[in-house]
Amino acid sequence: MLETAIAQVKGDPADGDVVDLYSDRGQWIARGCYNRHSRIRVRLYSWEAGQPLDTAFWRGRLESAIALRRQLGYLQPGGGCRLVFSEADGLSGLLLDRFGDYLVVQATALAMARRLEEEWIPLIRELVGYRGLLVRTDRDMNRAEGITLEDGLLDGEAPDGPVFIEEHGVRYGVDLAGGQKTGFFLDQRQNRLAAAQYCAGRRVLDLFCYSGAFGLLAAAVGGAREIVGVDSSPKAITLARANAQLNGQAHARFETADCFEQLDSLAAGHEHFGVVVLDPPKFARTRAAVDDAMRAYHHLNRLAVSVIEPGGILVTCSCSGHVSREDFAFMLADVAQRTGREIQILEQRGAAPDHPVAATCMEGDYLKCFICRVV
């Protein structure tokens, strides 16, 4: 709920306190947690009058979230999954990821950050169990919410190096302490598998590859003949190379470079690939940044099309929630017109099922993955 939707605050609730929300006619609407400094003044958790937001309430929500992941078969030993996905699990402002015996929590709401030690650590320890529980923070969200948490170990013991997980038969080392986001892009789980089905015998260019997950699965499961991964982060490339070695994939090559510049260089050298994967970071963090983001997506996809062989595959993604599927598709249409290459959209995909979307909060449908044929 935006700040402009709050007409009056009665009393003097402290930030993070439980409050009740009423209509302008005095009708009770819902119960949530207050933060005067946030754009989301009240994060709503219960639509049941009189429902206390106590330990029993939070326990019920966490049990429900875990039950879904168990039903999906995502709680296998040595695997990774998102256990709690904020609004989609009725726990706005709380993210919880599992990587084998370790968990990573991220609080993007002040109310959740203030309840970590007294409420969430005991509940998570009891219902999930872990060897170590780490916290990762988002600088922008900390600033917006007034959160003072810092990255580090919350409970248990810290891993002494990468934590290893297995996905679709491929093993990955995950940097929980210093990797991007919470260490691994769990939301792309099913998209990586879907993309791999188009890679048999093909040369694959994996851009913004991070730790190499798209490319390594394309080789191990999809049968790609060559993988070229590119990322601007030397740390990510080091991890990707280690993951390639871990899986015995000597034909996977990873390079540190700016992805836009690398595409320009590849096009100038008349290089071509059967599959190009684009999984860039979030280009639009706010609504005001959408226009600039769309120009960046257009430029990136146009460059990618220039190095795709006829009949090749473009796997193009956006994790910017402010960019709609329609806008993304229109962008591809314009790329097709300007390059003179027909782009056939074969699949429109989203995040893996452990990142569900609440029908009452469609903003959670942030990830777009289009698998296209470029003629």
Side-chain angles (χ1 to χ4, degrees):
M1 179 165 293
L2 299 178
E3 182 174 355
T4 53
I6 303 294
Q8 182 181 10
V9 178
K10 291 186 177 181
D12 187 25
D15 293 332
D17 278 359
V18 174
V19 297
D20 288 314
L21 187 68
Y22 292 85
S23 72
D24 57 353
R25 298 181 179 180
Q27 181 180 4
W28 186 87
I29 298 174
R31 177 166 287 181
C33 293
Y34 180 72
N35 185 354
R36 77 192 68 201
H37 301 294
S38 174
R39 288 185 69 249
I40 306 175
R41 290 282 292 278
V42 182
R43 289 186 183 256
L44 303 178
Y45 297 103
S46 176
W47 286 259
E48 180 181 339
Q51 170 72 63
L53 302 188
D54 56 11
T55 300
F57 175 83
W58 303 124
R59 176 195 296 272
R61 291 289 169 90
L62 181 56
E63 287 176 337
S64 177
I66 294 169
L68 169 62
R69 281 68 182 183
R70 182 175 293 112
Q71 180 183 358
L72 293 170
Y74 285 179
L75 298 185
Q76 301 301 319
C81 76
R82 174 147 290 181
L83 288 172
V84 174
F85 187 39
S86 197
E87 285 83 5
D89 288 302
L91 292 169
S92 179
L94 186 71
L95 304 174
L96 181 64
D97 289 344
R98 170 181 174 266
F99 300 97
D101 295 331
Y102 292 87
L103 301 179
V104 179
V105 65
Q106 187 174 55
T108 59
L110 181 66
M112 289 300 184
R114 291 191 172 176
R115 286 166 171 77
L116 277 180
E117 198 166 322
E118 293 186 6
E119 293 277 4
W120 286 112
I121 289 180
L123 282 174
I124 294 169
R125 187 191 301 124
E126 175 190 348
L127 297 178
V128 185
Y130 50 78
R131 187 172 176 181
L133 174 63
L134 294 87
V135 63
R136 294 295 301 272
T137 61
D138 182 302
R139 185 182 306 171
D140 292 337
M141 291 306 301
N142 278 6
R143 187 183 306 112
E145 288 284 315
I147 296 171
T148 57
L149 285 175
E150 296 182 359
D151 291 359
L153 182 68
L154 276 181
D155 193 38
E157 60 183 77
D160 56 6
V163 171
F164 294 94
I165 64 170
E166 184 173 311
E167 179 186 284
H168 306 305
V170 178
R171 295 190 70 207
Y172 301 99
V174 181
D175 181 2
L176 301 186
Q180 296 175 22
K181 298 295 184 180
T182 60
F184 192 75
F185 294 102
L186 296 165
D187 52 1
Q188 293 277 28
R189 173 202 302 264
Q190 300 307 116
N191 299 333
R192 286 189 280 264
L193 184 61
Q197 310 309 313
Y198 297 89
C199 295
R202 285 175 149 161
R203 190 182 189 209
V204 176
L205 176 63
D206 183 7
L207 293 163
F208 308 94
C209 67
Y210 183 43
S211 56
F214 264 104
L216 295 179
L217 196 67
V221 174
R225 65 178 172 86
E226 181 185 358
I227 304 298
V228 178
V230 182
D231 198 282
S232 62
S233 166
K235 191 173 184 179
I237 291 300
T238 297
L239 189 56
R241 288 171 177 164
N243 285 335
Q245 185 175 11
L246 179 67
N247 290 279
Q249 294 189 13
H251 57 297
R253 183 173 83 251
F254 294 96
E255 305 170 0
T256 304
D258 178 276
C259 290
F260 287 88
E261 294 176 0
Q262 186 74 350
L263 275 173
D264 272 328
S265 176
L266 290 168
H270 304 290
E271 297 251 19
H272 288 93
F273 297 84
V275 178
V276 175
V277 179
L278 304 176
D279 188 20
K282 186 183 294 186
F283 284 164
R285 291 189 171 275
T286 65
R287 293 188 188 280
V290 168
D291 287 346
D292 286 341
M294 294 311 303
R295 282 189 284 271
Y297 284 124
H298 189 283
H299 182 45
L300 178 64
N301 282 269
R302 186 172 179 176
L303 287 172
V305 165
S306 71
V307 299
I308 295 177
E309 63 190 29
I313 298 296
L314 171 66
V315 181
T316 180
C317 307
S318 167
C319 61
S320 300
H322 295 296
V323 173
S324 70
R325 290 183 179 274
E326 292 77 12
D327 286 342
F328 203 66
F330 287 146
M331 175 274 296
L332 288 175
D334 195 60
V335 168
Q337 290 179 347
R338 291 177 182 271
T339 60
R341 303 282 298 274
E342 183 178 352
I343 297 178
Q344 300 170 316
I345 298 174
L346 307 180
E347 300 185 41
Q348 293 190 46
R349 307 180 61 86
D354 55 348
H355 293 65
V357 179
T360 54
C361 185
M362 292 304 295
E363 291 84 350
D365 184 24
Y366 68 98
L367 181 63
K368 294 152 287 289
C369 177
F370 285 35
I371 301 179
C372 311
R373 179 170 177 258
V374 182
V375 181

